[in-house]
Amino acid sequence: MEFRTEIIIPQSNIDINYQSKVLFIGSCFSNNIGEKLQGLKFNTGINPFGVLYNPLSVSENINLLLNKTEISEKDIFFDKDLWASFSFHSSFSRPVKSDFLDKINNQIKINHERLKETDVLFITWGTAWVYQIKDSNKIAANCHKIPSSHFLRFLLETDEITKTYETFFQEIKQFNPTLKIVLTVSPIRHWKDGASGNQVSKSTLLLAANKLAEKFDFVEYFPSYEIMMDDLRDYRFYENDMLHPNSLAIKYIWGKFKSCYFSNNTEQILKKIKTIILAVNHKPFNPQTDSHQKFIHQTLSKICELKELFPELNFTEEIENLKKYLK
């Protein structure tokens, strides 16, 4: 008997390999999967603006990258001894105005170039609820714990999201004609919206994603939300807050992601890289022994072999760590 409803995801036409350049933008789920790829030496960028939750802020911020828009003093504000922007996560905030502007504008310049060369863009939406700044009517990507009286809160309509992205996708394809886009809805529940509010929000996002994936042949959908809600329908897969997927759930979704986007050849290379990373992370009791010195040289040889096949792989940190133990 089967005691669960496993979601079987067919192999995607999008092939992610060690020549691919990938960019993740959106909610915490973008961080979770993006960091897995980065840790295994894939050429991956993650959230150049910090975590973003709603679809309109995601599209507006990517447009900043498309147009290489420079953020000026009129676009930022000072609060709680820090300069901040409603377009950037609070982790970017700085006490000195010039430092803050330099940092965020540098992010835009760097990621403008990255987006130009990106093969696959993953966009993860977290919520359809938005906070509109009363003074400017701008949708805040991050509210920076500013009092709620400064915002109007409302739920986006499905048509509003799809119309925004129809225009946005046409613009981004002109900028990068070979780009593939994967939409996904974050499996993290926004409980502050209430059970009903969260479900309405997620449903709005799912409907919008479905319409866009049907309309554009370079857009597809990855069911991370459905995996969490239906396949992993058990609280043992959640953190203590009962809202965020735990490491076991992320590992499971990562496995589904790999089977969807990786070829057998990429999986074999990934295993070799994982072996090297495990070897480098091994802390020897007696690094000066002949056996461990041999182990270091063997690991360095494996790195050289992979570098010959894939020169773009960056093992600088691993090589330095190994050489510290050489006689």
Side-chain angles (χ1 to χ4, degrees):
M1 294 177 66
E2 293 291 337
F3 290 98
R4 54 186 276 258
T5 50
E6 182 179 0
I7 293 175
I8 307 299
I9 306 171
Q11 182 86 31
S12 171
N13 291 325
I14 297 174
D15 175 42
I16 296 177
N17 54 57
Y18 278 98
Q19 285 80 39
S20 303
K21 293 182 180 178
V22 188
L23 180 59
F24 284 81
I25 293 181
S27 81
C28 302
F29 181 75
S30 290
N31 285 1
N32 292 334
I33 299 300
E35 286 168 3
K36 291 277 189 187
L37 286 166
Q38 272 190 350
L40 291 165
K41 303 298 180 183
F42 286 89
N43 189 339
T44 309
I46 306 171
N47 276 335
F49 300 90
V51 176
L52 303 172
Y53 298 100
N54 75 78
L56 294 194
S57 290
V58 170
S59 64
E60 286 175 8
N61 283 21
I62 297 175
N63 270 317
L64 292 179
L65 301 184
L66 287 179
N67 300 311
K68 207 154 93 172
T69 305
E70 185 171 348
I71 304 297
S72 64
E73 290 187 20
K74 65 180 177 60
D75 304 312
I76 64 177
F77 63 93
F78 191 71
D79 183 70
K80 300 181 186 70
D81 299 322
L82 292 171
W83 287 96
S85 164
F86 285 118
S87 295
F88 280 80
H89 190 267
S90 54
S91 58
F92 286 90
S93 299
R94 292 290 183 274
V96 179
K97 184 196 295 183
S98 58
D99 290 347
F100 176 61
L101 285 170
D102 287 346
K103 184 174 181 62
I104 60 177
N105 281 317
N106 192 47
Q107 275 290 95
I108 290 171
K109 289 175 185 175
I110 290 171
N111 286 282
H112 169 84
E113 297 304 322
R114 171 177 278 280
L115 185 59
K116 194 183 296 181
E117 299 177 349
T118 294
D119 297 299
V120 189
L121 172 63
F122 283 85
I123 295 175
T124 304
W125 298 332
T127 180
W129 289 98
V130 297
Y131 289 82
Q132 186 179 54
I133 307 160
K134 289 181 179 179
D135 291 341
S136 64
N137 291 329
K138 174 184 170 63
I139 302 297
N142 191 291
C143 293
H144 299 280
K145 298 183 178 178
I146 301 292
S148 59
S149 59
H150 291 262
F151 304 94
L152 292 174
R153 179 177 177 270
F154 60 90
L155 185 72
L156 295 172
E157 297 286 343
T158 301
D159 285 347
E160 185 177 3
I161 298 170
T162 54
K163 286 177 182 177
T164 298
Y165 273 78
E166 284 169 5
T167 302
F168 165 59
F169 283 162
Q170 289 166 4
E171 291 172 351
I172 200 170
K173 279 297 276 188
Q174 289 179 349
F175 177 77
N176 181 344
T178 61
L179 182 69
K180 303 290 186 183
I181 296 173
V182 179
L183 295 174
T184 188
V185 173
S186 170
I188 299 166
R189 290 175 294 156
H190 288 240
W191 207 243
K192 65 182 179 181
D193 298 326
S196 178
N198 174 70
Q199 289 294 80
V200 171
S201 167
K202 297 293 187 184
S203 298
T204 300
L205 300 177
L206 291 166
L207 284 169
N210 181 66
K211 286 184 177 182
L212 291 166
E214 286 185 345
K215 179 160 186 168
F216 296 97
D217 60 4
F218 58 89
V219 178
E220 67 176 51
Y221 177 73
F222 180 78
S224 55
Y225 178 79
E226 292 82 350
I227 293 169
M228 196 69 207
M229 294 297 107
D230 290 301
D231 200 337
L232 304 180
R233 188 189 285 268
D234 194 307
Y235 276 107
R236 75 178 184 270
F237 298 113
Y238 285 85
E239 295 286 4
N240 291 337
D241 64 2
M242 302 300 164
L243 299 174
H244 287 74
N246 62 17
S247 59
L248 187 60
I250 293 168
K251 183 178 180 181
Y252 182 80
I253 296 172
W254 166 245
K256 292 288 188 182
F257 180 94
K258 288 195 300 176
S259 66
C260 183
Y261 296 110
F262 293 175
S263 67
N264 289 334
N265 185 52
T266 300
E267 284 275 19
Q268 293 306 311
I269 299 164
L270 184 154
K271 287 177 183 177
K272 291 179 181 180
I273 290 173
K274 202 170 184 179
T275 300
I276 290 169
I277 292 170
L278 288 171
V280 172
N281 290 337
H282 173 68
K283 303 297 180 187
F285 289 111
N286 298 297
Q288 300 306 311
T289 61
D290 290 341
S291 60
H292 190 72
Q293 290 294 304
K294 182 180 178 182
F295 173 77
I296 293 172
H297 284 290
Q298 287 174 339
T299 305
L300 287 169
S301 294
K302 289 177 182 178
I303 292 173
C304 288
E305 288 172 10
L306 273 175
K307 286 283 289 179
E308 285 180 11
L309 292 171
F310 306 99
E312 62 274 9
L313 289 176
N314 185 355
F315 283 103
T316 303
E317 185 178 344
E318 286 78 8
I319 291 170
E320 288 177 356
N321 286 337
L322 288 168
K323 285 185 174 179
K324 285 192 299 188
Y325 293 107
L326 282 176
K327 289 181 182 178

